[in-house]
Amino acid sequence: MTDALQVKGLRKSYGKKEVLKGVDLCVRKGEIFALLGVNGAGKTTTLECIEGLRKYDGGSVSVDGSIGIQLQSASLPAYIKGIEAIRLFAKWNRVSADASMLEALGIEGLAGKQYQEMSTGQKRRLHLALALLSDPDIVFLDEPTAGLDVEGRISLHEYIRTMKNKGKTIILASHDMAEVENLCDSIAILKDGLIAFTGTVVELTEKVGTHYNVRVKTGRGTEDHEVDNIGAGLIAILRDYQKKDIVIQDIQVDRGSLEQHFVKIAREDD
């Protein structure tokens, strides 16, 4: 499988503050890739440098294919209607709007609505439709489901999978770990201006070690415990309740989430 994107030694500073200190990334064609990081880690700066929206200080960026961009923060004229924006962007790109794409994103209902009247979720759907008008090979999504209701999120996820099935490469930045785990083939974690991890969710789990959540329900309520060794950890928890003469009514064991693994990598000391 060939690469859609290669980033080598990407550096960017704002004054004396070095935000990106040599970021290396590789995204394969046809995969859904997520760039993760705590607030201030440099995710948006990295994406904007790759997209050509921000000048970087050093390193190289190689993109194989046309791109479409849905920005985290974007705006249109207050009085422009949804259909007017679609027609304008289609004319700029010298294309015809894909009716099936507009239907999948629920744009028909926004056709006669002015931009200033749209909710945050509606605006984000319109921004995504505009990014997809030119049928790009690589789609950049920065917090794509922010402001969307449950139905809108499900619809967008389905369309993202449809794009992948058509051979598109999707690169997204998201704070929603469930969304990332559900959609993405691979992830990278940005920390202190460098990539701290890159690989699959399974590989991340293997790197940080297996982690389990144990929820115990008793007459006094529900209590949560965290263990790394499920065998020894669970036995210790049960013995502790037995010593305290507390009757266990129910017990649930869940494997650690992507969010827990992410936090462990993103916040641990080097």
Side-chain angles (χ1 to χ4, degrees):
M1 186 178 294
T2 56
D3 296 329
L5 170 68
Q6 286 189 350
V7 178
K8 296 182 179 179
L10 191 65
R11 308 182 75 88
K12 175 64 181 177
S13 297
Y14 298 107
K16 295 183 178 180
K17 181 176 177 57
E18 190 176 22
V19 178
L20 306 181
K21 304 175 183 178
V23 172
D24 295 319
L25 283 177
C26 182
V27 180
R28 295 170 297 175
K29 285 186 177 181
E31 76 171 347
I32 303 176
F33 175 91
L35 180 62
L36 310 178
V38 297
N39 288 333
K43 300 188 302 298
T44 297
T45 295
T46 299
L47 292 181
E48 289 180 348
C49 287
I50 294 171
E51 295 159 350
L53 300 177
R54 190 175 297 278
K55 185 178 180 180
Y56 48 90
D57 303 323
S60 65
V61 175
S62 177
V63 178
D64 186 5
S66 59
I67 68 172
I69 305 168
Q70 181 202 39
L71 299 173
Q72 183 179 9
S73 177
S75 185
L76 292 170
Y79 298 105
I80 194 171
K81 295 180 180 179
I83 190 61
E84 294 172 339
I86 293 293
R87 289 171 179 168
L88 179 61
F89 275 69
K91 188 170 183 178
W92 278 346
N93 289 280
R94 299 180 180 179
V95 297
S96 298
D98 181 348
S100 62
M101 179 268 289
L102 298 179
E103 181 181 359
L105 295 178
I107 301 301
E108 295 93 337
L110 308 178
K113 199 170 189 178
Q114 291 182 345
Y115 187 74
Q116 65 176 354
E117 299 172 336
M118 297 179 189
S119 66
T120 299
Q122 290 172 335
K123 289 177 180 178
R124 295 193 71 80
R125 294 210 310 271
L126 178 59
H127 295 160
L128 179 56
L130 296 177
L132 297 176
L133 277 176
S134 61
D135 193 27
D137 301 306
I138 306 169
V139 183
F140 290 87
L141 306 176
D142 198 348
E143 301 294 340
T145 55
L148 294 183
D149 57 20
V150 174
E151 184 178 356
R153 289 164 60 88
I154 293 173
S155 177
L156 179 56
H157 288 176
E158 290 176 350
Y159 194 75
I160 289 175
R161 293 189 185 96
T162 298
M163 288 193 290
K164 171 184 166 63
N165 291 336
K166 291 181 178 179
K168 308 295 184 184
T169 304
I170 298 95
I171 300 173
L172 65 88
S174 176
H175 284 99
D176 188 336
M177 295 298 111
E179 175 176 82
V180 171
E181 190 166 13
N182 187 34
L183 288 175
C184 294
D185 301 300
S186 60
I187 60 176
I189 297 176
L190 187 63
K191 175 186 174 186
D192 296 331
L194 293 167
I195 298 298
F197 170 84
T198 183
T200 65
V201 173
V202 173
E203 289 169 342
L204 177 60
T205 301
E206 293 173 350
K207 178 178 175 63
V208 299
T210 305
H211 192 79
Y212 292 89
N213 302 313
V214 180
R215 173 163 291 186
V216 179
K217 181 180 179 181
T218 69
R220 63 182 187 181
T222 301
E223 297 176 348
D224 294 319
H225 306 267
E226 297 182 0
V227 297
D228 288 325
N229 185 317
I230 185 60
L234 185 57
I235 291 173
I237 290 171
L238 295 176
R239 284 177 175 171
D240 184 58
Y241 280 96
Q242 187 178 34
K243 287 180 181 180
K244 295 176 181 178
D245 200 25
I246 300 173
V247 177
I248 295 176
Q249 298 175 345
D250 188 25
I251 186 167
Q252 295 178 337
V253 179
D254 296 312
R255 194 172 185 179
S257 66
L258 172 61
E259 183 171 7
Q260 291 172 320
H261 300 324
F262 160 70
V263 169
K264 189 169 184 178
I265 289 287
R267 299 191 181 279
E268 71 182 355
D269 293 332
D270 293 334

